[in-house]
Amino acid sequence: ISMGGMIAQELALSHPRAVQGLVLGCTTCGFAHGAPPRPEVLAATAQAGALTQQERIRQFLLAAATPEFLERAGREFWDWIIAGWLAAPTPWETIARHFVAIQGFDTYERLPQVQAPTLIIHGDRDLMVPVENAGVLGQRIAGSQVRIVPGVGHLFFWEKPEESARAVVEFLSAVPAAA
């Protein structure tokens, strides 16, 4: 998922025998050849250093999930998320390094070398890693399957957990096991 999907691409490219099936969720091959985050997400990220940890968490969720999901989730969800993230806060410097790593990431030219059966799954309302990135990955990875989950954002697996899990399980169940 997200940056983890970028890491998974590198794993599949560097160690193809170790990867029997690959699931890439709400990720990109790099913004040089993919769609960058929406302008409002970039603007909010630029201001995040001046925010408190709690405000950063709220800002992240507002960009990562649809307003409808956050409204339905209610106060208990917000309290649970904020308490969990505040229990072990990630320093802002670490988050900033995360964004620098993402900006330099690029597997576009190497993607045709991916050998593993691949499922690309993405929410159609993702502001952080726009859904257009799923199409780029799908075009570059031969034989890949693209599954767009309608009505959800970057956290598609929270917003529609049953549909998301079913798609992943169905895909991986069909991947042949290694001899």
Side-chain angles (χ1 to χ4, degrees):
I1 304 297
S2 199
M3 186 176 190
M6 296 174 202
I7 295 166
Q9 290 171 59
E10 288 293 348
L11 177 66
L13 289 163
S14 299
H15 304 283
R17 290 189 198 133
V19 180
Q20 296 173 13
L22 180 63
V23 177
L24 300 173
C26 60
T27 195
T28 179
C29 65
F31 296 124
H33 295 95
R38 300 288 185 239
E40 59 269 28
V41 172
L42 292 174
T45 302
Q47 300 169 4
L51 301 176
T52 67
Q53 185 76 359
Q54 187 170 350
E55 290 167 333
R56 279 188 215 132
I57 294 165
R58 184 172 292 279
Q59 182 182 59
F60 167 78
L61 287 173
L62 289 171
T66 61
E68 296 85 359
F69 171 76
L70 295 174
E71 188 175 311
R72 278 192 320 270
R75 177 125 179 104
E76 287 181 9
F77 170 80
W78 284 100
D79 292 345
W80 173 72
I81 290 294
I82 290 171
W85 271 336
L86 290 179
T90 302
W92 178 244
E93 297 77 27
T94 303
I95 295 168
R97 287 181 181 148
H98 174 104
F99 286 112
V100 169
I102 289 171
Q103 293 302 313
F105 180 77
D106 190 350
T107 56
Y108 182 83
E109 294 297 333
R110 297 180 293 139
L111 283 176
Q113 299 169 23
V114 171
Q115 298 173 13
T118 303
L119 171 66
I120 300 153
I121 185 168
H122 214 112
D124 69 346
R125 292 176 59 193
D126 191 338
L127 301 176
M128 299 180 80
V129 181
V131 68
E132 293 84 1
N133 289 290
V136 174
L137 290 168
Q139 290 173 351
R140 300 293 295 168
I141 301 173
S144 62
Q145 299 175 31
V146 177
R147 174 76 181 263
I148 305 301
V149 183
V152 297
H154 195 66
L155 298 175
F156 66 89
F157 47 93
W158 279 7
E159 293 193 61
K160 290 193 177 174
E162 295 86 9
E163 181 177 340
S164 301
R166 186 172 39 256
V168 172
V169 169
E170 286 173 4
F171 171 76
L172 291 176
S173 295
V175 171

